[in-house]
Amino acid sequence: MGSVISNNVDDSGKSVNEILNSMTPKEKDALKGWYWYDWANQAYALTIMTVIVPALMANLYNTATGTQGGAGFYALIYGISMAIVAVTAPALGVIADRIPVKKGMLFWYTVVGIIFCAAMGAAPYFGDSGYKVLALMYVLGSIGFSGGNTIYYAFMPYLAPKKAMDHVSSWGYAYGFMGGSLLLFFHLLILMVTPWDTNFKLAIIFVTSALWWWGWGALMFFKTPEPPVLDEMEYQGVIESTKFAYKQVWKTLKEIRKFRVLFLYIVAYLLFYDGVNTINGMASAFGESVLRINPTMNIALLLTVNVVAIPMSIVFGKLADNKGTKYALMLALAIYCAVAITAVGFAPLELEDDHKR
């Protein structure tokens, strides 16, 4: 089974650093492998989902249709991909909790994400149908990314004692922002320096993002063991396992009214997670279609945001250690909401005549 941490150990008298230092080399290696996967898949989360695809899909749609509805079209496609993930994720969680297949599921979701990430590079070559091709590839690639993340996060409780979870989570995010920002900086250089035509540059960006995800992500499959399953169920095939998973999800939904705090948490998390992801996902499309920001400047701005997020991930992790997770989360949300509400006040600049459509 490999090296897996038991969260039943009494670590109440130790500091987080003492807990982490007491881990065996194999346990530390397993945790590092988990960190590297976040470093890897942020190639898709940052370059593809946040920066390139929203602006590219909006541009391809606007060009093909002669309208300015690109941002709205991207929002529709983004919503469809997230809805598919929302419907399938609970069942995935049930299967992963009852059958020791977390690494296998993560592997195949990663493969799907990587294949369609690379394939998106061909979309601009399809002319007026390019936005349709990109939309299909994006939905499938995002299912691979988001479905894989559902399984990926399920590893965390087994990689370090409970008291160190805030530290592990914050460093996972820091690794992700570092990896994603480094690759995005490389892609910014490709757009600014290389003499190739734009479509070829975009193809290079999509392919290198896929290779980055696979190359660094492979470290997790080598270093991080399959977590144990406490109430293991015999695997009965895809169809029967899927039926069982959805029956369990339905049973949980019927009984959730008995657990008021859990119900409120799920609703709050849904609003929090989708709210943050919607702003992140729509920022680039909004800049392209509404504000008409230069594509290079658009990328530079988003890169700056993610570079700032690297130290802030660590700072808020330490804040959670000292002040509590709830305090750190509420402070972060207050700042985020204040910035988001302020941003609503920004209106598109008046376009010069030669840019009006």
Side-chain angles (χ1 to χ4, degrees), residues 37 41 44 81 84-93 95-96 101-117 139-152 213-214 221 242 246:
Y37 189 85
N41 75 355
Y44 189 89
S81 64
I84 294 173
V85 172
V87 170
T88 57
L92 286 176
I95 294 173
V101 292
K102 287 185 177 69
K103 284 185 72 172
M105 292 173 71
L106 178 60
F107 175 82
W108 286 112
Y109 270 107
T110 300
V111 168
V112 169
I114 288 168
I115 289 173
F116 288 103
C117 174
V139 168
L140 295 173
S142 295
I143 290 172
F145 170 78
S146 300
N149 266 3
T150 301
I151 307 302
Y152 165 73
W213 185 359
W214 177 244
F221 299 110
T242 302
Y246 279 106

Side-chain angles (χ1 to χ4, degrees), residues 24 42 69 105 107 125 151 156 187 240 263 271 287 314 323 335 353:
T24 67
Q42 283 302 304
M105 292 173 71
F107 175 82
Y125 292 98
I151 307 302
M156 190 169 69
H187 289 154
E240 290 302 316
F263 174 74
L271 296 174
I314 299 171
K323 295 284 189 177
I335 295 172
D353 291 339

